[in-house]
Amino acid sequence: MTPALQDPEGVVKAVSQRPVTVEAAAGWSSLPEWLKVRALVIDTGTGRRGVVQPWPYYSERPPTCVWLRPEGGGREWTAPIDGLRPARGQPAA
């Protein structure tokens, strides 16, 4: 049996309480309102549709790219934010 993990700093609780938005920790107002985790977007550079993935790190500055995953799952890729647009049609699952 594995011993229970200790979290003396409360890191797990702090991370789990973040809002589900790309700009969660910093309050970045320069990002489009529609750019949220689980949003379905089109990467205009590749023509691919993808689902925005959770932001993997904290930064004081707004990001310039996001991680996307194909709608049905698969290998993630990064895309510049200025090359994204919201996808019309079916919402992401």
Side-chain angles (χ1 to χ4, degrees), residues 9-86:
E9 302 296 322
V11 173
V12 173
K13 183 177 181 183
V15 169
S16 67
Q17 290 178 345
R18 285 189 200 164
V20 184
T21 62
V22 174
E23 67 281 3
W28 300 316
S29 61
S30 63
L31 296 178
E33 187 176 310
W34 51 264
L35 187 59
K36 298 187 182 325
V37 173
R38 293 190 298 272
L40 184 60
V41 298
I42 295 180
D43 175 359
T44 60
T46 64
R48 297 171 69 189
R49 289 166 58 108
V51 179
V52 177
Q53 298 302 296
W55 204 245
Y57 57 87
Y58 173 82
S59 173
E60 292 291 329
R61 297 179 309 181
T64 58
C65 64
V66 295
W67 284 93
L68 300 173
R69 183 177 297 271
E71 286 181 88
R75 189 177 187 140
E76 293 180 330
W77 77 98
T78 59
I81 290 173
D82 60 359
L84 299 177
R85 65 179 174 85

